[in-house]
Amino acid sequence: LGLIWLIRMIGQKMNQGKYEGDLYIYCHGELVSVIETIAGLTIQKKVTKHIGKRILLTSVESGESKEILGCPVTFFDIGSTKAKQFGFSMLLPDQKKLSCCGDEPYNVCEESYVKGSDWLMHEAFCLYEEADKFKPYEKHHSTVKEACQLAEKLKIKNLLLYHTEDTHIRERKKLYSEEGKKYYSGNLHVPDDGEVFAL
């Protein structure tokens, strides 16, 4: 649902002449009409008028590649049992590969897209020792330990953990790094909100 507010913000900037170019949103085909419907019900027409003109909802299939920011990006179905979702792999200008498993833990159906990535973005909802408290599995999520074990198995060079619970904001980087380093020998990144990584 965050996408709706992105459309609203960028559509308003378009109306103010403060946004250059077009906004491309890539998603699987079933989401196009859902996004249009929710945007139409929640955002003013003076903003939604840009959908289909400057805000372009672009349907992609699993395994399909598109060029985005001059880089080839391949989209893939993550095999979710909850709702259809896609992840992506992007080949950066220096030929390093950035992959994202989406909003759920890695699934073996993603292996050909993700294995050996230079950078992997993976959710890690909580510390393993707090799984009973936060119940990540009920929410289709994993723990730091599991995400790190996966990255080690898939030979990932840099692992970036996101989509975490928020009770440890001040200590999150320290706590997640300490747990993760027990299971993962690569470069582990636990970003603070707003932190930027140069790839």
mmCIF file with all atom_site columns, all heavy atoms in Angstrom, residues 124-136:
data_model
loop_
_atom_site.group_PDB
_atom_site.id
_atom_site.type_symbol
_atom_site.label_atom_id
_atom_site.label_alt_id
_atom_site.label_comp_id
_atom_site.label_asym_id
_atom_site.label_entity_id
_atom_site.label_seq_id
_atom_site.pdbx_PDB_ins_code
_atom_site.Cartn_x
_atom_site.Cartn_y
_atom_site.Cartn_z
_atom_site.occupancy
_atom_site.B_iso_or_equiv
_atom_site.pdbx_formal_charge
_atom_site.auth_seq_id
_atom_site.auth_comp_id
_atom_site.auth_asym_id
_atom_site.auth_atom_id
_atom_site.pdbx_PDB_model_num
ATOM 1   N N   . ALA A 1 124 ? 14.363 -10.127 7.402  1.00 0.00 ? 124 ALA A N   1
ATOM 2   C CA  . ALA A 1 124 ? 14.739 -10.828 8.632  1.00 0.00 ? 124 ALA A CA  1
ATOM 3   C C   . ALA A 1 124 ? 13.922 -10.193 9.745  1.00 0.00 ? 124 ALA A C   1
ATOM 4   O O   . ALA A 1 124 ? 14.311 -9.178  10.311 1.00 0.00 ? 124 ALA A O   1
ATOM 5   C CB  . ALA A 1 124 ? 16.229 -10.717 8.902  1.00 0.00 ? 124 ALA A CB  1
ATOM 6   N N   . PHE A 1 125 ? 12.788 -10.763 10.032 1.00 0.00 ? 125 PHE A N   1
ATOM 7   C CA  . PHE A 1 125 ? 11.811 -10.099 10.893 1.00 0.00 ? 125 PHE A CA  1
ATOM 8   C C   . PHE A 1 125 ? 12.287 -9.915  12.329 1.00 0.00 ? 125 PHE A C   1
ATOM 9   O O   . PHE A 1 125 ? 11.954 -8.926  12.966 1.00 0.00 ? 125 PHE A O   1
ATOM 10  C CB  . PHE A 1 125 ? 10.492 -10.874 10.868 1.00 0.00 ? 125 PHE A CB  1
ATOM 11  C CG  . PHE A 1 125 ? 9.348  -10.108 11.446 1.00 0.00 ? 125 PHE A CG  1
ATOM 12  C CD1 . PHE A 1 125 ? 8.859  -8.980  10.802 1.00 0.00 ? 125 PHE A CD1 1
ATOM 13  C CD2 . PHE A 1 125 ? 8.765  -10.488 12.638 1.00 0.00 ? 125 PHE A CD2 1
ATOM 14  C CE1 . PHE A 1 125 ? 7.810  -8.254  11.336 1.00 0.00 ? 125 PHE A CE1 1
ATOM 15  C CE2 . PHE A 1 125 ? 7.714  -9.768  13.186 1.00 0.00 ? 125 PHE A CE2 1
ATOM 16  C CZ  . PHE A 1 125 ? 7.237  -8.655  12.533 1.00 0.00 ? 125 PHE A CZ  1
ATOM 17  N N   . CYS A 1 126 ? 13.066 -10.879 12.834 1.00 0.00 ? 126 CYS A N   1
ATOM 18  C CA  . CYS A 1 126 ? 13.485 -10.777 14.227 1.00 0.00 ? 126 CYS A CA  1
ATOM 19  C C   . CYS A 1 126 ? 14.700 -11.663 14.482 1.00 0.00 ? 126 CYS A C   1
ATOM 20  O O   . CYS A 1 126 ? 15.110 -12.435 13.616 1.00 0.00 ? 126 CYS A O   1
ATOM 21  C CB  . CYS A 1 126 ? 12.351 -11.175 15.176 1.00 0.00 ? 126 CYS A CB  1
ATOM 22  S SG  . CYS A 1 126 ? 11.823 -12.889 15.013 1.00 0.00 ? 126 CYS A SG  1
ATOM 23  N N   . LEU A 1 127 ? 15.246 -11.547 15.674 1.00 0.00 ? 127 LEU A N   1
ATOM 24  C CA  . LEU A 1 127 ? 16.318 -12.436 16.108 1.00 0.00 ? 127 LEU A CA  1
ATOM 25  C C   . LEU A 1 127 ? 15.748 -13.842 16.288 1.00 0.00 ? 127 LEU A C   1
ATOM 26  O O   . LEU A 1 127 ? 14.584 -14.013 16.649 1.00 0.00 ? 127 LEU A O   1
ATOM 27  C CB  . LEU A 1 127 ? 16.897 -11.953 17.440 1.00 0.00 ? 127 LEU A CB  1
ATOM 28  C CG  . LEU A 1 127 ? 17.559 -10.575 17.431 1.00 0.00 ? 127 LEU A CG  1
ATOM 29  C CD1 . LEU A 1 127 ? 17.789 -10.088 18.852 1.00 0.00 ? 127 LEU A CD1 1
ATOM 30  C CD2 . LEU A 1 127 ? 18.870 -10.624 16.647 1.00 0.00 ? 127 LEU A CD2 1
ATOM 31  N N   . TYR A 1 128 ? 16.577 -14.846 16.057 1.00 0.00 ? 128 TYR A N   1
ATOM 32  C CA  . TYR A 1 128 ? 16.129 -16.231 16.198 1.00 0.00 ? 128 TYR A CA  1
ATOM 33  C C   . TYR A 1 128 ? 15.640 -16.500 17.618 1.00 0.00 ? 128 TYR A C   1
ATOM 34  O O   . TYR A 1 128 ? 14.621 -17.156 17.830 1.00 0.00 ? 128 TYR A O   1
ATOM 35  C CB  . TYR A 1 128 ? 17.259 -17.182 15.822 1.00 0.00 ? 128 TYR A CB  1
ATOM 36  C CG  . TYR A 1 128 ? 16.877 -18.633 15.897 1.00 0.00 ? 128 TYR A CG  1
ATOM 37  C CD1 . TYR A 1 128 ? 16.051 -19.198 14.925 1.00 0.00 ? 128 TYR A CD1 1
ATOM 38  C CD2 . TYR A 1 128 ? 17.321 -19.450 16.940 1.00 0.00 ? 128 TYR A CD2 1
ATOM 39  C CE1 . TYR A 1 128 ? 15.678 -20.528 14.982 1.00 0.00 ? 128 TYR A CE1 1
ATOM 40  C CE2 . TYR A 1 128 ? 16.960 -20.785 17.009 1.00 0.00 ? 128 TYR A CE2 1
ATOM 41  C CZ  . TYR A 1 128 ? 16.140 -21.317 16.029 1.00 0.00 ? 128 TYR A CZ  1
ATOM 42  O OH  . TYR A 1 128 ? 15.771 -22.644 16.094 1.00 0.00 ? 128 TYR A OH  1
ATOM 43  N N   . GLU A 1 129 ? 16.343 -15.944 18.586 1.00 0.00 ? 129 GLU A N   1
ATOM 44  C CA  . GLU A 1 129 ? 15.988 -16.183 19.993 1.00 0.00 ? 129 GLU A CA  1
ATOM 45  C C   . GLU A 1 129 ? 14.651 -15.546 20.372 1.00 0.00 ? 129 GLU A C   1
ATOM 46  O O   . GLU A 1 129 ? 14.082 -15.852 21.422 1.00 0.00 ? 129 GLU A O   1
ATOM 47  C CB  . GLU A 1 129 ? 17.087 -15.682 20.924 1.00 0.00 ? 129 GLU A CB  1
ATOM 48  C CG  . GLU A 1 129 ? 17.262 -14.175 20.884 1.00 0.00 ? 129 GLU A CG  1
ATOM 49  C CD  . GLU A 1 129 ? 18.497 -13.681 21.628 1.00 0.00 ? 129 GLU A CD  1
ATOM 50  O OE1 . GLU A 1 129 ? 19.549 -14.326 21.525 1.00 0.00 ? 129 GLU A OE1 1
ATOM 51  O OE2 . GLU A 1 129 ? 18.386 -12.644 22.301 1.00 0.00 ? 129 GLU A OE2 1
ATOM 52  N N   . GLU A 1 130 ? 14.137 -14.662 19.519 1.00 0.00 ? 130 GLU A N   1
ATOM 53  C CA  . GLU A 1 130 ? 12.856 -14.010 19.792 1.00 0.00 ? 130 GLU A CA  1
ATOM 54  C C   . GLU A 1 130 ? 11.733 -14.490 18.871 1.00 0.00 ? 130 GLU A C   1
ATOM 55  O O   . GLU A 1 130 ? 10.672 -13.876 18.791 1.00 0.00 ? 130 GLU A O   1
ATOM 56  C CB  . GLU A 1 130 ? 13.008 -12.494 19.687 1.00 0.00 ? 130 GLU A CB  1
ATOM 57  C CG  . GLU A 1 130 ? 13.914 -11.915 20.759 1.00 0.00 ? 130 GLU A CG  1
ATOM 58  C CD  . GLU A 1 130 ? 13.950 -10.407 20.760 1.00 0.00 ? 130 GLU A CD  1
ATOM 59  O OE1 . GLU A 1 130 ? 13.964 -9.794  19.678 1.00 0.00 ? 130 GLU A OE1 1
ATOM 60  O OE2 . GLU A 1 130 ? 13.954 -9.839  21.870 1.00 0.00 ? 130 GLU A OE2 1
ATOM 61  N N   . ALA A 1 131 ? 11.969 -15.601 18.182 1.00 0.00 ? 131 ALA A N   1
ATOM 62  C CA  . ALA A 1 131 ? 10.958 -16.115 17.255 1.00 0.00 ? 131 ALA A CA  1
ATOM 63  C C   . ALA A 1 131 ? 9.651  -16.454 17.971 1.00 0.00 ? 131 ALA A C   1
ATOM 64  O O   . ALA A 1 131 ? 8.563  -16.230 17.430 1.00 0.00 ? 131 ALA A O   1
ATOM 65  C CB  . ALA A 1 131 ? 11.496 -17.335 16.512 1.00 0.00 ? 131 ALA A CB  1
ATOM 66  N N   . ASP A 1 132 ? 9.723  -16.978 19.189 1.00 0.00 ? 132 ASP A N   1
ATOM 67  C CA  . ASP A 1 132 ? 8.500  -17.304 19.931 1.00 0.00 ? 132 ASP A CA  1
ATOM 68  C C   . ASP A 1 132 ? 7.702  -16.049 20.275 1.00 0.00 ? 132 ASP A C   1
ATOM 69  O O   . ASP A 1 132 ? 6.474  -16.081 20.330 1.00 0.00 ? 132 ASP A O   1
ATOM 70  C CB  . ASP A 1 132 ? 8.835  -18.061 21.224 1.00 0.00 ? 132 ASP A CB  1
ATOM 71  C CG  . ASP A 1 132 ? 9.305  -19.481 20.959 1.00 0.00 ? 132 ASP A CG  1
ATOM 72  O OD1 . ASP A 1 132 ? 9.035  -19.991 19.848 1.00 0.00 ? 132 ASP A OD1 1
ATOM 73  O OD2 . ASP A 1 132 ? 9.941  -20.068 21.850 1.00 0.00 ? 132 ASP A OD2 1
ATOM 74  N N   . LYS A 1 133 ? 8.403  -14.960 20.469 1.00 0.00 ? 133 LYS A N   1
ATOM 75  C CA  . LYS A 1 133 ? 7.745  -13.691 20.814 1.00 0.00 ? 133 LYS A CA  1
ATOM 76  C C   . LYS A 1 133 ? 7.091  -13.039 19.587 1.00 0.00 ? 133 LYS A C   1
ATOM 77  O O   . LYS A 1 133 ? 5.950  -12.603 19.628 1.00 0.00 ? 133 LYS A O   1
ATOM 78  C CB  . LYS A 1 133 ? 8.779  -12.736 21.429 1.00 0.00 ? 133 LYS A CB  1
ATOM 79  C CG  . LYS A 1 133 ? 8.263  -11.356 21.737 1.00 0.00 ? 133 LYS A CG  1
ATOM 80  C CD  . LYS A 1 133 ? 9.365  -10.479 22.315 1.00 0.00 ? 133 LYS A CD  1
ATOM 81  C CE  . LYS A 1 133 ? 8.885  -9.068  22.580 1.00 0.00 ? 133 LYS A CE  1
ATOM 82  N NZ  . LYS A 1 133 ? 9.970  -8.210  23.097 1.00 0.00 ? 133 LYS A NZ  1
ATOM 83  N N   . PHE A 1 134 ? 7.843  -12.971 18.463 1.00 0.00 ? 134 PHE A N   1
ATOM 84  C CA  . PHE A 1 134 ? 7.365  -12.237 17.289 1.00 0.00 ? 134 PHE A CA  1
ATOM 85  C C   . PHE A 1 134 ? 6.663  -13.109 16.248 1.00 0.00 ? 134 PHE A C   1
ATOM 86  O O   . PHE A 1 134 ? 6.032  -12.595 15.336 1.00 0.00 ? 134 PHE A O   1
ATOM 87  C CB  . PHE A 1 134 ? 8.516  -11.463 16.645 1.00 0.00 ? 134 PHE A CB  1
ATOM 88  C CG  . PHE A 1 134 ? 9.000  -10.324 17.489 1.00 0.00 ? 134 PHE A CG  1
ATOM 89  C CD1 . PHE A 1 134 ? 10.217 -10.400 18.148 1.00 0.00 ? 134 PHE A CD1 1
ATOM 90  C CD2 . PHE A 1 134 ? 8.224  -9.190  17.650 1.00 0.00 ? 134 PHE A CD2 1
ATOM 91  C CE1 . PHE A 1 134 ? 10.669 -9.352  18.941 1.00 0.00 ? 134 PHE A CE1 1
ATOM 92  C CE2 . PHE A 1 134 ? 8.660  -8.134  18.440 1.00 0.00 ? 134 PHE A CE2 1
ATOM 93  C CZ  . PHE A 1 134 ? 9.879  -8.215  19.085 1.00 0.00 ? 134 PHE A CZ  1
ATOM 94  N N   . LYS A 1 135 ? 6.806  -14.418 16.347 1.00 0.00 ? 135 LYS A N   1
ATOM 95  C CA  . LYS A 1 135 ? 6.128  -15.378 15.467 1.00 0.00 ? 135 LYS A CA  1
ATOM 96  C C   . LYS A 1 135 ? 6.304  -15.057 13.977 1.00 0.00 ? 135 LYS A C   1
ATOM 97  O O   . LYS A 1 135 ? 5.318  -14.841 13.262 1.00 0.00 ? 135 LYS A O   1
ATOM 98  C CB  . LYS A 1 135 ? 4.650  -15.464 15.837 1.00 0.00 ? 135 LYS A CB  1
ATOM 99  C CG  . LYS A 1 135 ? 4.438  -15.806 17.315 1.00 0.00 ? 135 LYS A CG  1
ATOM 100 C CD  . LYS A 1 135 ? 3.022  -16.115 17.641 1.00 0.00 ? 135 LYS A CD  1
ATOM 101 C CE  . LYS A 1 135 ? 2.767  -16.419 19.096 1.00 0.00 ? 135 LYS A CE  1
ATOM 102 N NZ  . LYS A 1 135 ? 3.804  -16.973 19.888 1.00 0.00 ? 135 LYS A NZ  1
ATOM 103 N N   . PRO A 1 136 ? 7.540  -15.002 13.497 1.00 0.00 ? 136 PRO A N   1
ATOM 104 C CA  . PRO A 1 136 ? 7.772  -14.642 12.091 1.00 0.00 ? 136 PRO A CA  1
ATOM 105 C C   . PRO A 1 136 ? 7.169  -15.625 11.093 1.00 0.00 ? 136 PRO A C   1
ATOM 106 O O   . PRO A 1 136 ? 6.727  -15.226 10.016 1.00 0.00 ? 136 PRO A O   1
ATOM 107 C CB  . PRO A 1 136 ? 9.299  -14.612 11.986 1.00 0.00 ? 136 PRO A CB  1
ATOM 108 C CG  . PRO A 1 136 ? 9.763  -15.521 13.074 1.00 0.00 ? 136 PRO A CG  1
ATOM 109 C CD  . PRO A 1 136 ? 8.781  -15.334 14.186 1.00 0.00 ? 136 PRO A CD  1
#
